Amino acid sequence: MNATKRKFNTLIQGIGSRPPQVSDLDDNAHTPTRSGGVAPSPLSRLSASISTPTPARTSRPAPADAVSPSAELLLKQRRVGVLEMASPNPKTSGATTTTTTTISNVVVKKWTSATTAASTTQRDRWTESPKYCPSDRDELIKRLGTFQELTEWTPKPDKVNEIEWAKRGWICHGKERVRCTLCHKELVVKTNTSRPVDGTQVPAAAGSDVEQGLVKRFSELIIEAHEDDCLWRRHGCDDSLLRLPLTVPKVALASLRERYDDLCTRPSFLPYPFNLRLPQNLDLKVVRSQLPPNFFTDPPPPSTNPSPPSDVALALALTGWQGLTNPRIGAVPNTATCATCLRRLGLWMFKSKEVDEATGTVIVPAPMDHLDPVREHRFFCPWRNAAVQHNPGARAKENKAAWEVLAQTLKNSAFLREEAEKSTLRTPFHRPTASLPVTPSRSRKQDVEAQTAAETPERFAGGGAEEDEEEDMAARDAKDKERWAKLRRVKSLFETKGRKKFQRAMSRPGTPSSRPPTAHSRRDSVVDKSGEKAA
């Protein structure tokens, strides 16, 4: 090892020495030549091009058996593996030339400190996705995204479909092959079997005993195929993990506006309104009336949004669709996608190719008859499947899909907004203290009637107005009574038996003060008693 290091150091010193001069190249004392006037070989030229720092020449002749330094260096370089050296041009004079060296067995590595390497490794660990995350919705959707290629994964029965594999930590890792993200166990899933018929392989009929047996076995392997110590074997993702949070109006309106703006960037590919087939209980006119007044203007819309709002873009956004953006090529203008089920929808397939704008008659129809935006979602998507969107803590037993929940949220938000606007408007018949729980009394009612009649006497000119006002007051009094009854019932829940006895004792006449006696009160009572006795 030490000899190799010395050889390599000698090589480096020879490379870094001054270039040879023309006079040295012409000197044949150190250059081995062949007899017969043959041109020098490449090795001889190589030895001539390498120069080493030598002392000044003297007139003393060199011994005959002495080996020149260039030849010795050449032998060392041949042993360490130098393949090629380019010698400077001997014809060039008066200019400094450089020597280019190519070394095949020397690998140059960039030096990094241990701290930098450790920080890089730690940063890579932070950026990589977790391997076991049963409560992470985004990771579940990422695992589902690996099953969307039809060339890798074909549709399976419900018990062994992609959602069941993804809930237990499996990803698609090849043709009909799944792999666990934690224990890296792999499994081939094939439920379509074939049987020989007349010498040819014919696929088995759907629902046969063989297919049912395979489905049952693979449904067991979803859990049992993991390693014994794998965490996915113990616990998987919850069934309600795909449920969308659409009950908060602010969040629901913000996401709806984002999807709408994304779809408006591709107006030339959006289908015509008559190409859509919306659910019967989804009315776009009613939905537009329930949106906030500044829904399309706040925040300011991009330049691609049409001046009149697009009903097609709004309908697709209400049903969970948005524009597709590829991470490598950017936005795909003719395709929409769902962020939950990762379904890709080619908009050009549902748009009529040629339409008479004057009459609205379809001249060349679309490749597909119509577009049902709800049905185009995948079977496990909450925008389509009401059971997936079901909230276990909800009181209502009826399940609603995500688009129905969103429509109900918009309806509730519009109702609350209208009620808030009404409360800010003061009418002549409005009582400022009507919202406060007060004890109803006939005298108070008469005072209010007299006050309102004095302010607006023209409104009480007819008998019908008086009757309506009396009915209104009677309804308010009934509500006040009901409110007080509820308050009494709530108050009774916090009263104990000891407190009730104490209140009864305090309500009797001649009961002493409810406060406990103090030192000053006892001294005063003793002084009073002694004074009475002395008197």
Side-chain angles (χ1 to χ4, degrees):
M1 179 61 70
N2 295 332
T4 305
K5 289 183 179 180
R6 287 196 299 271
K7 293 175 183 178
F8 188 75
N9 292 334
T10 306
L11 172 64
I12 297 301
Q13 291 176 2
I15 294 174
S17 62
R18 68 175 180 83
Q21 303 297 331
V22 178
S23 61
D24 297 337
L25 293 174
D26 294 339
D27 188 6
N28 296 328
H30 304 288
T31 306
T33 59
R34 295 185 180 181
S35 61
V38 182
S41 63
L43 291 178
S44 63
R45 291 196 302 270
L46 179 64
S47 62
S49 63
I50 300 175
S51 62
T52 57
T54 56
R57 299 193 179 193
T58 61
S59 60
R60 185 172 54 187
D65 57 347
V67 181
S68 64
S70 300
E72 183 180 0
L73 182 59
L74 175 62
L75 295 176
K76 292 181 179 180
Q77 290 176 349
R78 290 178 63 184
R79 284 195 295 268
V80 298
V82 176
L83 296 181
E84 181 180 359
M85 271 192 178
S87 60
N89 189 3
K91 297 181 181 180
T92 306
S93 60
T96 303
T97 59
T98 58
T99 303
T100 304
T101 307
T102 304
I103 302 175
S104 62
N105 64 343
V106 177
V107 180
V108 180
K109 294 184 178 181
K110 183 180 180 181
W111 179 84
T112 56
S113 63
T115 307
T116 306
S119 62
T120 305
T121 305
Q122 189 176 9
R123 184 166 57 251
D124 294 340
R125 292 178 180 176
W126 289 344
T127 55
E128 66 180 4
S129 58
K131 297 180 180 180
Y132 179 71
C133 44
S135 60
D136 194 333
R137 185 176 182 273
D138 295 336
E139 292 298 326
L140 174 61
I141 293 177
K142 287 182 182 179
R143 293 193 296 273
L144 284 172
T146 61
F147 293 90
Q148 64 180 353
E149 297 295 338
L150 292 176
T151 57
E152 301 290 338
W153 183 265
T154 56
K156 301 290 188 295
D158 294 342
K159 293 183 179 180
V160 291
N161 54 32
E162 52 267 32
I163 185 65
E164 299 297 333
W165 292 97
K167 285 180 180 178
R168 283 288 178 173
W170 299 94
I171 60 173
C172 184
H173 191 67
K175 181 74 174 175
E176 305 292 347
R177 182 184 294 271
V178 294
R179 182 181 182 182
C180 176
T181 58
L182 185 58
C183 64
H184 305 293
K185 195 72 175 293
E186 294 188 4
L187 183 67
V188 178
V189 183
K190 286 186 177 181
T191 57
N192 298 329
T193 58
S194 58
R195 55 189 178 88
V197 176
D198 297 335
T200 59
Q201 296 292 332
V202 179
S208 61
D209 296 338
V210 178
E211 184 178 0
Q212 291 180 0
L214 289 174
V215 170
K216 182 179 179 181
R217 179 54 182 161
F218 278 119
S219 62
E220 297 173 354
L221 289 176
I222 292 177
I223 302 176
E224 297 177 357
H226 289 282
E227 295 289 350
D228 294 338
D229 57 347
C230 184
L231 296 177
W232 286 114
R233 186 186 182 100
R234 303 177 184 178
H235 188 269
C237 297
D238 191 67
D239 295 336
S240 61
L241 192 59
L242 286 176
R243 184 168 56 88
L244 296 171
L246 299 173
T247 55
V248 181
K250 186 176 181 180
V251 178
L253 288 171
S255 59
L256 177 62
R257 173 63 190 278
E258 184 179 356
R259 294 194 298 271
Y260 173 80
D261 291 342
D262 200 5
L263 290 169
C264 286
T265 57
R266 32 183 70 78
S268 59
F269 294 97
L270 292 177
Y272 295 101
F274 53 80
N275 293 134
L276 297 179
R277 294 293 184 273
L278 299 177
Q280 297 181 355
N281 52 348
L282 179 59
D283 192 351
L284 288 180
K285 294 182 179 179
V286 176
V287 171
R288 287 183 60 176
S289 64
Q290 294 172 351
L291 292 173
N294 59 346
F295 176 76
F296 297 101
T297 58
D298 187 20
S303 58
T304 55
N305 287 23
S307 54
S310 174
D311 290 340
V312 177
L314 181 61
L316 293 177
L318 282 169
T319 52
W321 296 100
Q322 63 186 30
L324 175 63
T325 302
N326 191 288
R328 290 181 295 178
I329 64 177
V332 182
N334 61 350
T335 308
T337 184
C338 174
T340 303
C341 65
L342 304 178
R343 173 81 160 87
R344 297 176 183 176
L345 185 64
L347 299 176
W348 55 272
M349 297 179 61
F350 303 95
K351 183 178 181 180
S352 301
K353 295 184 177 180
E354 189 175 352
V355 178
D356 188 1
E357 297 180 358
T359 59
T361 305
V362 178
I363 300 176
V364 180
M368 303 295 292
D369 294 338
H370 60 273
L371 172 59
D372 189 346
V374 177
R375 188 178 179 183
E376 289 297 330
H377 288 280
R378 304 180 76 177
F379 65 94
F380 60 85
C381 185
W383 292 104
R384 175 183 176 181
N385 195 335
V388 178
Q389 184 60 25
H390 174 66
N391 186 5
R395 296 181 180 179
K397 297 182 180 180
E398 182 182 0
N399 295 337
K400 292 184 179 181
W403 68 269
E404 295 177 300
V405 176
L406 178 58
Q408 185 65 35
T409 302
L410 297 179
K411 183 179 179 181
N412 297 343
S413 177
F415 174 77
L416 295 176
R417 190 167 53 252
E418 292 177 0
E419 292 296 324
E421 292 176 356
K422 290 180 181 179
S423 63
T424 56
L425 299 177
R426 297 292 181 178
T427 60
F429 303 101
H430 177 74
R431 291 190 303 165
T433 59
S435 59
L436 300 177
V438 296
T439 304
S441 60
R442 186 63 182 173
S443 60
R444 183 178 181 82
K445 178 179 176 181
Q446 293 176 355
D447 295 341
V448 173
E449 289 180 355
Q451 182 180 0
T452 54
E455 293 178 355
T456 56
E458 65 278 1
R459 295 186 177 271
F460 293 92
E466 295 179 357
E467 295 177 358
D468 295 341
E469 178 64 16
E470 290 180 357
E471 293 178 359
D472 191 12
M473 296 295 293
R476 292 177 182 176
D477 293 341
K479 289 183 180 180
D480 290 341
K481 291 180 180 180
E482 183 179 359
R483 188 181 296 110
W484 270 108
K486 290 181 179 179
L487 290 175
R488 293 191 191 95
R489 288 196 296 270
V490 172
K491 185 178 179 181
S492 62
L493 297 176
F494 298 96
E495 292 181 353
T496 59
K497 295 182 179 180
R499 183 177 178 82
K500 291 181 180 179
K501 293 180 179 179
F502 182 73
Q503 290 180 352
R504 292 196 199 100
M506 291 296 296
S507 61
R508 296 173 184 173
T511 304
S513 175
S514 60
R515 291 182 58 184
T518 60
H520 296 284
S521 61
R522 288 173 182 160
R523 184 178 58 186
D524 295 341
S525 60
V526 170
V527 172
D528 293 342
K529 290 180 180 179
S530 60
E532 291 178 358
K533 290 180 180 180

